[in-house]
């Protein structure tokens, strides 16, 4: 590790910034003890589960909804992401065009409707999550990538997005990095939020609607009892006719879920607050969320107090531990710190305050899907592969519709009735993941076999490069 990276990481706290010392953390709800009955059980108190609980109660206030969370709300994946929000419900417009080209127009409409519902919920329940709606930039990090950005611009323009194509000078006027050669600026219905504040706000909203929420209440197993399911927790049990499995990367609820979902870890750094003088060195007056075009992409955004969040270095661990030991050391963040200083060499006096990793549910579709179990009495909704903050509301909406037997015509669309491709089991999954992660980390600099491997992985269904 270079002296610069070593110094920048010296005093880092290995814990999510979003969860560290915030005075707005709500009280923990008690765990479930003994038996209870419910009209609907939701497993998982992350974004999908919270959105589902709110929607289920708002659609039918008389419905008895129980939500169980294995740990504490926001302490799993939902308190760990970058917090960049956009309208797409299929991991970006480009991915939607790749996976569902025939349904693209309708998916765009659903995405805008989902964002309206997202904003309406924030307003209706007075959820303050540090939201800033300044759009997002997709930046080209080499001359070769300018065409990628141009294609994105044409695609967004064709579907009615308010976008601007920026050359190198205009891009650096927005955010000054020597790596940036051009950018697409998408200006509407996208921005940034404080993800933990959002999760806690959704929790308060669910409780206010009468949802019965139990924290520190891990599910042990599900038993099919014919006309209902028995869900056994650590110290209790729930009898219910319907279960929505909102377990995303943890893939809990049925052993077959994991055959199409792999957990990867996304590493994130947070800087100390920038001074006015440091902010002047980089610009960023419009405060957009930013993604770059690297094969192993990086993303960045500002917080309310002008810290820079910088993320995007993936890792894989066999058997998907909840909190890998390696990620509680500085080692996996060293390459991410090096990437940060290559992006912003003018900030060599900046230090990192926090470093952490979070679980992402990776699928070949790179977007939400639904799996049905126990004769239709249980549905899994997940697999966002990132981009899940607003898309989780969409996943909750259609997961509930599928579970409750809605006659919505959208359930006949391909996204709702099909699943992503099968993923090989361990140990082949681990071997393939390690090779792929290494190839992604080094492909832009070294090419060769790495590009050939990534093309092979892409043919399997993963759009990695």
């Amino acid at each position: 590790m270079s002296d610069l990276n070593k110094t920048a990481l010296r005093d880092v706290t290995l814990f999510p910034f979003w969860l560290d010392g915030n005075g707005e953390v709500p009280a923990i709800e008690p765990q479930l003890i003994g038996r209870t009955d419910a009209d609907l059980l939701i497993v998982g108190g992350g974004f999908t589960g919270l959105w589902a609980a709110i929607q289920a109660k708002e659609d039918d206030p008389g419905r008895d909804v129980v939500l169980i969370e294995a740990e504490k709300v926001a302490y799993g994946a939902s308190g760990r992401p970058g917090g960049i929000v956009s309208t797409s419900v299929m991991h970006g417009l480009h991915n939607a065009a790749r996976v569902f080209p025939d349904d693209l127009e309708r998916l765009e409409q659903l995405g805008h409707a989902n964002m309206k519902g997202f904003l309406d919920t924030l307003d209706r329940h007075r959820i303050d999550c540090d939201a800033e709606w300044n759009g997002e930039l997709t930046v080209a990090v080499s001359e070769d990538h300018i065409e990628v950005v141009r294609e994105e611009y044409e695609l967004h323009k064709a579907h009615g997005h308010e976008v601007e194509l920026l050359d190198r000078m205009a891009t650096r006027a927005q955010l000054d990095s020597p790596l940036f050669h051009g950018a697409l600026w998408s200006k509407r219905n996208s921005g940034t939020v404080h993800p933990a504040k959002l999760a806690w706000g959704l929790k308060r909203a669910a409780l206010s609607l009468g949802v019965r929420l139990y924290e520190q209440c891990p599910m042990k197993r599900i038993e099919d009892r014919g006309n209902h399911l028995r869900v056994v927790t650590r110290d209790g049990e729930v009898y219910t006719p319907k279960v929505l499995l909102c377990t995303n990367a943890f893939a809990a609820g049925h052993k077959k879920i994991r055959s199409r979902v792999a957990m990867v870890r996304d590493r994130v750094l947070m800087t100390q607050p920038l001074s006015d003088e440091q902010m002047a060195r980089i610009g960023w007056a419009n405060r957009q969320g930013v993604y770059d075009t690297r094969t192993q992409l990086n993303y960045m955004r500002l917080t309310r107090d002008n810290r820079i969040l910088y993320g995007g270095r993936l890792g894989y661990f066999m058997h998907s531990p909840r909190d890998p030991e390696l990620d509680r050391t500085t080692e996996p963040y060293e390459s991410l710190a090096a990437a940060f200083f290559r992006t912003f060499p003018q900030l060599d006096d900046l230090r990192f305050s926090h470093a952490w990793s979070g679980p992402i549910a990776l699928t070949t579709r790179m977007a939400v899907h639904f799996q049905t179990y126990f004769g239709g009495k249980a549905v899994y909704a997940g697999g966002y592969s990132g981009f899940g903050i607003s898309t989780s509301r969409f996943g909750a909406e259609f997961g509930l519709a599928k579970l409750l037997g809605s006659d919505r015509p959208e359930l006949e669309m391909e996204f709702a009735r099909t699943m992503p491709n099968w993923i090989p089991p361990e140990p082949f999954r681990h071997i393939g993941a390690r090779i792929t992660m290494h190839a992604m980390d080094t492909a832009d600099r070294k090419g060769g076999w790495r590009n050939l491997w990534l093309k092979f992985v892409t043919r399997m269904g993963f759009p990695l490069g």
Side-chain angles (χ1 to χ4, degrees):
M1 180 166 55
S2 72
D3 290 341
L4 175 58
N5 295 343
K6 187 181 299 184
T7 300
L9 288 167
R10 178 178 298 153
D11 299 317
V12 73
T13 297
L14 294 166
F15 189 72
F17 167 79
W18 308 121
L19 303 173
D20 188 16
N22 192 300
E24 300 181 35
V25 180
I28 300 172
E29 295 301 303
Q31 68 183 57
L32 174 65
I33 298 176
R35 171 176 171 163
T36 191
D37 293 55
D39 297 327
L40 168 67
L41 173 65
I42 297 168
V43 180
F47 286 131
T48 305
L50 293 166
W51 284 116
I54 290 169
Q55 292 177 33
K57 287 296 283 188
E58 290 184 335
D59 289 346
D60 182 357
R63 179 182 286 134
D64 184 17
V65 178
V66 169
L67 188 156
I68 59 173
E69 161 57 34
E71 296 182 358
K72 296 184 287 186
V73 165
Y75 278 72
S78 296
R80 297 170 182 263
I84 302 174
V85 181
S86 62
T87 58
S88 175
V89 291
M90 289 294 152
H91 198 84
L93 184 54
H94 179 81
N95 190 61
R98 175 187 74 92
V99 182
F100 302 119
D102 295 337
D103 293 334
L104 188 55
E105 193 62 41
R106 181 59 183 144
L107 288 170
E108 278 286 284
Q109 294 168 3
L110 291 171
H112 287 287
N114 180 63
M115 182 56 70
K116 182 179 184 304
F118 181 101
L119 296 173
D120 287 348
T121 301
L122 297 189
D123 182 61
R124 187 166 61 256
H125 293 284
R126 296 182 174 85
I127 298 174
D128 179 7
C129 54
D130 297 356
E132 299 186 47
W133 304 107
N134 301 314
E136 57 187 346
L137 290 174
T138 303
V139 296
V141 292
S142 73
E143 290 284 352
D144 293 341
H145 292 182
I146 289 176
E147 187 57 34
V148 173
V149 171
R150 187 180 302 278
E151 290 174 2
E152 284 283 323
Y153 168 78
E154 296 295 342
L155 184 60
H156 280 75
K157 195 75 173 175
H159 289 276
H161 290 256
E162 185 179 333
V163 290
E164 183 177 351
L165 188 62
L166 308 177
D167 62 17
R168 183 170 189 171
M169 185 176 297
T171 301
R172 295 188 64 172
Q174 292 294 324
L175 178 57
D176 192 8
S177 168
L179 299 185
F180 296 169
H181 290 255
L184 165 69
W185 183 3
S186 181
K187 295 186 173 184
R188 290 190 60 198
N189 288 337
S190 55
T192 58
V193 300
H194 186 305
K197 286 185 178 180
L198 173 60
W200 294 328
L202 294 174
K203 173 184 172 178
R204 284 188 288 267
L207 290 171
S208 74
L209 293 167
V211 173
R212 291 192 286 144
L213 196 159
Y214 300 98
E215 293 180 270
Q216 297 179 328
C217 186
M219 176 182 63
K220 296 300 184 182
R221 64 183 183 276
I222 300 178
E223 299 173 359
D224 192 344
R225 296 294 184 88
N227 63 348
H228 67 273
L229 298 173
R230 176 179 181 249
V231 179
V232 180
T233 69
R234 182 170 54 202
D235 296 300
E237 55 185 354
V238 183
Y239 286 76
T240 178
K242 297 290 182 181
V243 176
L244 187 66
L245 299 168
C246 302
T247 55
N248 201 35
F250 298 104
H254 197 283
K255 62 182 181 181
K256 290 186 178 180
I257 296 173
R258 199 171 295 278
S259 67
R260 300 175 191 275
V261 176
M263 180 193 288
V264 297
R265 306 293 298 194
D266 184 35
R267 278 66 178 259
V268 185
L269 290 169
M270 185 71 84
T271 73
Q272 296 173 347
L274 276 67
S275 67
D276 291 343
E277 187 275 329
Q278 288 171 320
M279 284 293 295
R281 295 182 210 167
I282 59 171
W284 216 344
N286 287 306
R287 305 176 63 85
Q288 305 96 327
V290 180
Y291 298 98
D292 69 26
T293 57
R294 291 180 179 89
T295 301
Q296 170 82 289
L297 73 81
N298 291 122
Y299 56 87
M300 57 212 82
R301 50 76 56 96
L302 290 169
T303 63
R304 179 172 283 182
D305 61 348
N306 286 341
R307 299 169 185 264
I308 297 176
L309 179 145
Y310 191 87
R313 193 63 44 171
L314 300 178
Y316 181 82
F317 298 86
M318 190 180 292
H319 306 308
S320 305
R322 296 187 72 87
D323 194 7
E325 185 68 29
L326 177 65
D327 285 5
R328 287 180 277 148
T329 72
T330 58
E331 180 184 341
Y333 306 99
E334 294 167 9
S335 59
L336 190 58
F340 176 91
F341 289 117
R342 285 194 297 271
T343 305
F344 300 117
Q346 67 271 47
L347 294 178
D348 59 357
D349 57 343
L350 201 58
R351 303 294 175 257
F352 299 111
S353 64
H354 294 75
W356 70 92
S357 73
I360 292 177
L362 188 69
T363 74
T364 61
R365 183 175 290 179
M366 303 290 285
V368 64
H369 73 282
F370 310 96
Q371 300 185 32
T372 301
Y373 295 103
F374 302 108
K377 292 188 288 293
V379 168
Y380 165 88
Y384 306 100
S385 303
F387 292 79
I389 291 179
S390 57
T391 310
S392 55
R393 183 188 176 278
F394 176 85
E397 178 181 353
F398 284 95
L400 282 173
K402 198 172 185 71
L403 177 66
L404 300 176
S406 168
D407 59 359
R408 293 189 60 164
E410 292 89 354
L411 293 179
E412 296 302 315
M413 293 173 63
E414 193 174 356
F415 84 86
R417 59 179 177 79
T418 64
M419 292 191 290
N421 294 341
W422 174 81
I423 303 174
E426 302 291 8
F428 307 105
R429 182 179 298 198
H430 179 255
I431 295 167
R434 293 298 295 269
I435 296 172
T436 301
M437 298 302 177
H438 176 69
M440 291 173 68
D441 283 344
T442 54
D444 293 328
R445 290 182 289 111
K446 297 184 178 180
W449 69 265
R450 298 160 183 83
N451 289 335
L452 293 175
W453 176 264
L454 293 176
K455 287 178 181 177
F456 165 71
V457 173
T458 299
R459 285 196 295 271
M460 291 177 61
F462 294 99
L464 302 179

